[in-house]
């Protein structure tokens, strides 16, 4: 099939692109402003393929300054977007450990001791210090609290109402079509195949869509972005080494909650010092809350689900959450390399936008607005080239899109943020100081620390648990867990002194129950596994097996001969296994032994 423009993924970046483009493809009298090359007389034919079963099935608890969103929708506050609220009170909290189970450095212990000793003179309550002052770069004043799912559904409807663009959810793109270093379109995923991708009943090969321009907005883990990175390489000095997995609940707050729509809480310090948390309040007593587990957290059993529950049970938060009810949950990876993770933005026949193009700002903790802005910049560039009848060559796209992006606030702020988090490579305290320094000096001063791929940092479980759980005990527990086909992390956390989670069947539910609640994870039959262990021999010799320990959906479990099993039905497509793998590929040490390919299914909720 032929199109003029084909887009991969419908996240905020592509939504920004299509919103800007679709408004300018036809004149008021219905005639095209520019003509399609494949259907002369009509406006350009624009297709967008989204992997998830519905528009807006991603995960992102969103508080945003909404600068780029407002530029596209000046009346956004009055648009009636469900779950949207203007930002109200913002707090940044340092959570102390009420149980003594977390791992805190000597410096942090000393700081905790000082805070507890002088708490009578500090804004301290329920084991939390409410930072009396926070720098402006952390604030979202004048912005909005959104549900990304609800916002994306609304934005998708606006785009489709123009009648100039087609969006196809439930349609993963399996690869970019590359001919002599030129991207000439995309191939959709094969259907009617077995788990290994071999033709089975009802086999339908993925359709090829040829287009003059392929817009790649498939997020931080997108297979098309990964394919282009592998094919075209990286700009000098750029790499993707910093990540975080975000896990999130959407919940009904108790009826008597004192929290108000627009309230924003950000936390650090607990359940482990490296883990950040967020709580945003929507209208009608609904809240989005969750944690980020970063790549520089050197724990080989970094289970986000259990950590999230301990975070919720922190006395400062639990008084707000107790009695509430889980509505939906999910997990998703966040690319945290920022500008240093920027790939080649353009090439012959393609352009990259959004988080996969390095747009997320790691200093301000903002990705939606930036992704949207890069999409609008590309749309303006594309309209300029179409009107000038210039082809989508690397040079023309660099001139029209690359220059717009370099001149924008996204770039200026990305430069400030670029090295702001490097300090975390050498510890949390240094990391926080580095962020403050970078933010307050506009990036002129930072604390250094060379980011390394997670596999270089991840210690063996025995080393991490040294002094808490003996190697003999670990071996025994490992054997028991392997026999049961489960991960080790729960028993290790119990052993390390973490209290049991008091399940209440409403908000604190088991990981399995969360997967089942409301049919939130789905995997249609007839598609290949999208998580693949590339070299089983590497898994066999892998002592860490972190893919099992961190899997957000309990989809990866111990398997025969040390090679894990993957269960597509439980996978929430968070992508954490991709970047956390403990074994580098022999021919590319920047990548691990897991391939994260195009796949269907995953979360089935647009509340996230
Ligand atoms: C838990 C969490 C909380 C966050 N909180 C905030 C916040 O408060 N504020 C903020 O500004 N940002 C936040 N972010 C970051 C923000 O969500 C991202 O920066 C933003 O969504 C990036 O937009 P994008 O369009 O580039 O990519 P994505 O949102 O990742 O969208 C990419 C889309 O491409 C689709 N796709 C992928 N592969 C394929 C394929 N092969 N074929 C077809 N479609 C494909 C995906 O399904 C997805 O819909 C958060 C992120 C997470 C994970
Ligand atoms: S996928 Fe990676 S982390 Fe998992 S067992 Fe294999 S080598 Fe180890
Ligand atoms: S298998 Fe799926 S749910 Fe598990 S870590 Fe990988 S992407 Fe996430």
């Amino acid at each position: 099939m032929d199109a003029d423009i084909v887009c991969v993924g419908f996240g905020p970046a592509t939504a920004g692109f299509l919103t800007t483009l679709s408004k300018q493809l036809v004149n008021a009298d219905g005639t095209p402003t520019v003509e399609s090359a494949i259907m002369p007389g009509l406006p350009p034919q624009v297709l967008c393929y989204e992997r998830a079963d519905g528009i807006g099935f991603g995960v992102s608890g969103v508080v945003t300054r909404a600068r780029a969103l407002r530029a596209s929708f000046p009346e956004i506050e009055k648009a009636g977007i469900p779950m949207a609220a203007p930002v109200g009170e913002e707090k940044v909290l340092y959570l102390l450990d009420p149980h003594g189970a977390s791992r805190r450095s000597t410096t942090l212990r000393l700081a905790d001791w000082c805070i507890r000793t002088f708490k009578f003179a500090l804004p301290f309550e329920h084991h939390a210090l409410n930072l009396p002052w926070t720098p402006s770069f952390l604030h979202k004043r004048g912005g909005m609290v959104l549900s990304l799912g609800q916002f994306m559904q609304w934005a998708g409807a606006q785009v489709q109402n123009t009648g100039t663009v087609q969006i196809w959810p439930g349609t993963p793109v399996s690869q970019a079509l590359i001919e002599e270093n030129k991207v000439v379109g995309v191939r959709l995923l094969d259907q009617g195949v077995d788990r290994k991708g071999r033709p089975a009943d009802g086999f339908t090969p993925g359709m090829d869509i040829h287009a003059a321009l392929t817009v790649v907005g498939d997020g931080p883990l997108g297979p098309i972005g990964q394919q282009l990175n592998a094919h075209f390489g990286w700009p000098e000095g750029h790499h993707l080494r910093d990540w975080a997995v975000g896990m999130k609940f959407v919940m009904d707050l108790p009826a008597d909650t004192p929290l108000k729509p627009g309230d924003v809480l950000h936390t650090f310090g607990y359940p482990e010092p490296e883990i950040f948390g967020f709580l945003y309040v929507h209208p009608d007593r609904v809240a989005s809350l969750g944690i980020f587990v970063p790549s520089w957290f050197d724990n080989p059993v970094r289970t986000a689900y259990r950590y999230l529950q301990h975070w919720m049970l922190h006395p400062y938060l639990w008084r707000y959450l107790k009695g509430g009810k889980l509505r939906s949950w999910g997990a998703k990876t966040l690319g945290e390399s920022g500008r240093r993770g920027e790939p080649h933005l353009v090439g012959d026949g393609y352009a990259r936008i959004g988080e996969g193009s390095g747009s997320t700002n790691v200093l301000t903790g903002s990705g939606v607005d930036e992704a949207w802005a890069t999409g609008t910049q590309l749309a303006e560039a594309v309209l300029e080239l179409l009107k000038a009848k210039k082809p989508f060559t690397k040079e023309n796209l660099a001139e029209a899109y690359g220059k717009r992006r370099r001149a924008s606030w996204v770039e200026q702020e990305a430069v400030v943020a670029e090295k702001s988090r490097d300090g975390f490579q050498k510890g949390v305290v240094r990391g926080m100081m580095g962020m403050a320094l970078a933010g307050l000096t506009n990036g002129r001063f930072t604390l250094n620390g060379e980011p390394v791929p997670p596999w270089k940092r991840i210690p063996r479980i025995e080393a991490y648990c040294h002094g808490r759980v003996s190697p003999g005990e670990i071996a025994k527990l490992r054997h028991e867990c392997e026999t049961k086909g489960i991960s080790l992390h729960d028993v290790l956390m119990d052993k390390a002194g973490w209290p049991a989670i008091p399940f209440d069947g409403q908000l604190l539910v088991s990981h399995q129950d969360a997967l089942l609640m409301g049919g939130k994870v789905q995997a249609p039959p007839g598609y290949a596994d999208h998580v693949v262990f590339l070299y089983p021999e590497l898994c066999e010799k892998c002592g860490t097996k972190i893919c099992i320990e961190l899997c957000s959906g309990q989809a990866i479990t111990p398997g025969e001969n040390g090679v894990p099993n993957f269960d597509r039905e439980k996978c929430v497509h968070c992508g954490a296994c991709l970047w956390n793998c403990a074994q580098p590929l022999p021919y590319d040490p920047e990548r691990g032994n897991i391939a994260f390919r195009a796949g269907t299914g995953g979360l089935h909720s647009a509340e996230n």
Side-chain angles (χ1 to χ4, degrees):
M1 191 165 93
D2 288 333
D4 290 283
I5 298 173
V6 64
C7 305
V8 185
F10 187 72
T14 310
F17 173 73
L18 293 176
T19 298
T20 308
L21 189 73
S22 62
K23 284 180 188 166
Q24 298 182 58
L25 288 179
V26 283
N27 297 306
D29 62 2
T31 55
T33 53
V34 280
E35 274 193 32
S36 163
I38 55 159
M39 290 191 182
L42 292 177
Q45 302 299 295
V46 185
L47 301 174
C48 173
Y49 295 106
E50 165 55 44
R51 185 204 67 72
D53 295 347
I55 292 175
F57 281 13
V59 176
S60 166
V62 167
V63 61
T64 172
R65 285 191 194 156
R67 286 173 286 179
L69 304 186
R70 228 177 246 123
S72 294
F73 305 112
E75 301 284 297
I76 190 167
E77 271 94 355
K78 298 181 196 148
I81 302 168
M83 293 173 75
V87 169
E89 193 179 359
E90 293 179 87
K91 283 183 185 167
V92 181
L93 300 153
Y94 172 59
L95 303 182
L96 282 80
D97 179 351
H99 301 294
S102 66
R103 283 168 179 268
R104 303 176 104 73
S105 64
T106 313
T107 321
L108 221 48
R109 281 180 198 280
L110 190 64
D112 291 356
W113 179 82
C114 291
I115 293 168
R116 286 194 198 280
T117 306
F118 298 105
K119 65 182 179 189
F120 58 88
L122 296 168
F124 182 89
E125 53 170 342
H126 298 277
H127 299 268
L129 179 72
N130 180 3
L131 298 196
W133 177 83
T134 47
S136 60
F137 63 83
L138 287 180
H139 285 278
K140 303 287 187 298
R141 270 184 218 112
M144 294 179 81
V145 166
L146 292 167
S147 147
L148 192 57
Q150 294 296 309
F151 170 70
M152 288 303 293
Q153 290 205 329
W154 177 84
Q158 311 301 307
V159 167
Q160 283 172 307
N161 286 346
T162 64
T164 55
V165 169
Q166 292 180 44
I167 305 172
W168 294 92
T171 317
V173 172
S174 78
Q175 58 175 284
L177 300 171
I178 305 178
E179 290 175 4
E180 293 172 6
N181 284 337
K182 178 179 176 187
V183 175
V184 296
V186 297
R187 176 167 298 164
L188 304 182
L189 202 60
D190 289 347
Q191 294 178 39
V193 292
D194 68 11
R195 288 186 52 191
K196 288 197 171 348
R198 294 171 299 217
D201 284 351
F203 175 64
T204 316
M207 189 174 24
D208 285 356
I209 321 290
H210 287 97
L213 178 67
T214 300
V215 175
V216 183
D218 57 356
L221 306 154
I224 310 310
Q226 288 185 53
Q227 181 194 354
L228 298 186
N229 293 343
H231 186 93
F232 293 107
W234 287 92
E236 181 70 27
H238 285 208
H239 44 67
L240 259 185
R241 293 178 182 171
D242 284 334
W243 306 81
V245 61
M247 189 173 276
K248 172 184 167 187
F249 273 21
V250 180
M251 65 171 287
D252 287 320
L253 292 165
D256 58 352
T257 183
L259 296 174
K260 298 179 293 306
D263 279 355
V264 170
L265 305 182
H266 283 119
T267 74
F268 63 103
Y270 184 82
E272 296 285 359
E274 294 85 350
I275 295 178
F276 293 85
F278 63 90
L279 189 154
Y280 310 143
V281 186
H282 306 283
D284 305 320
R285 281 194 296 110
V286 176
S288 291
L289 60 158
I291 57 166
F292 289 107
V293 180
S295 49
W296 31 267
F297 175 36
D298 294 336
N299 180 349
V301 282
R302 49 180 90 179
T303 159
Y305 190 77
R306 178 140 179 204
Y307 275 134
L308 174 56
Q309 292 184 318
H310 285 298
W311 176 79
M312 288 163 66
L313 283 162
H314 187 280
Y316 188 95
L317 299 165
W318 190 239
R319 64 188 163 136
Y320 294 131
L321 309 182
K322 191 177 174 193
K325 195 163 181 232
L326 177 63
R327 289 165 71 109
S328 65
W329 77 285
K332 184 173 179 274
T333 280
L334 187 68
E336 293 210 319
S337 286
R339 194 166 176 270
R340 208 156 25 195
E342 184 185 291
H344 294 292
L345 287 181
V346 296
D348 286 333
Y350 79 89
R352 300 186 62 172
I353 53 176
E355 196 160 292
S357 76
S359 62
T360 296
N361 190 304
V362 291
L363 179 62
T364 57
S366 175
V368 170
D369 226 11
E370 287 73 5
W372 186 280
T374 61
T376 62
Q377 289 155 13
L378 179 63
E380 285 159 11
V382 164
L383 286 161
E384 180 186 307
L385 293 178
L386 285 172
K387 284 175 187 162
K389 297 195 187 325
K390 287 185 176 172
F392 296 118
T393 59
K394 183 175 180 177
E395 290 70 28
N396 289 342
L397 285 164
E399 184 67 23
Y401 166 53
K403 280 199 174 165
R404 273 186 171 81
R405 184 155 162 175
R406 296 284 173 246
S408 75
W409 60 268
V410 176
E411 174 79 3
Q412 282 149 23
E413 294 180 10
V415 171
V416 174
E418 184 166 349
K419 294 183 178 166
S420 62
R421 287 221 184 184
D422 287 1
F424 283 112
Q425 305 294 331
K426 294 184 185 165
V428 180
V429 176
R430 204 180 145 85
M432 298 301 289
M433 284 164 55
M435 266 181 84
L437 194 62
L440 295 172
T441 64
N442 265 340
R444 273 190 289 280
F445 298 104
T446 54
L447 292 183
N448 64 3
E450 181 58 22
V452 293
W455 66 262
K456 271 198 181 169
R457 310 183 54 105
I458 298 167
R460 287 180 62 90
I461 290 175
E462 289 75 5
Y464 185 77
C465 293
H466 180 72
R468 290 192 171 200
V469 193
S470 72
E473 230 173 333
I474 293 172
K476 187 168 152 272
L477 294 171
R478 183 179 277 135
H479 178 70
E480 283 170 14
C481 288
E482 277 175 8
T483 314
K484 289 184 201 156
I486 58 172
S487 55
L488 248 179
H489 59 243
D490 269 334
V491 283
L492 281 181
M493 284 182 77
D494 294 344
K495 285 266 168 207
W498 287 95
I501 303 294
F503 293 125
D504 59 13
Q506 288 233 109
L507 182 60
L508 298 175
V509 298
S510 73
H511 205 160
Q512 283 299 304
D513 285 347
L515 280 163
L516 294 171
M517 274 174 80
K520 294 290 193 295
V521 183
Q522 303 195 351
Y527 289 94
D529 280 353
H530 54 277
V531 169
V532 177
F533 308 101
L534 288 169
Y535 296 95
E537 59 275 23
L538 287 180
C539 296
E540 282 170 27
K541 70 166 194 186
C542 170
T544 310
K545 305 244 186 305
I546 193 168
C547 58
I548 298 172
E549 297 304 329
L550 62 72
C551 177
S552 304
Q554 293 189 328
I556 302 182
T557 48
E560 270 178 38
N561 303 324
V563 183
N565 291 324
F566 170 65
D567 181 352
R568 206 161 63 86
E569 310 256 324
K570 291 183 179 170
C571 177
V572 298
H573 289 254
C574 74
C577 52
L578 168 73
W579 56 269
N580 269 299
C581 173
Q583 298 286 328
L585 284 183
Y587 53 88
D588 184 356
E590 291 291 329
R591 289 164 58 203
N593 189 30
I594 282 188
F596 189 74
R597 296 179 178 154
T600 51
L603 292 166
H604 209 83
S605 162
E607 280 191 329
N608 292 310

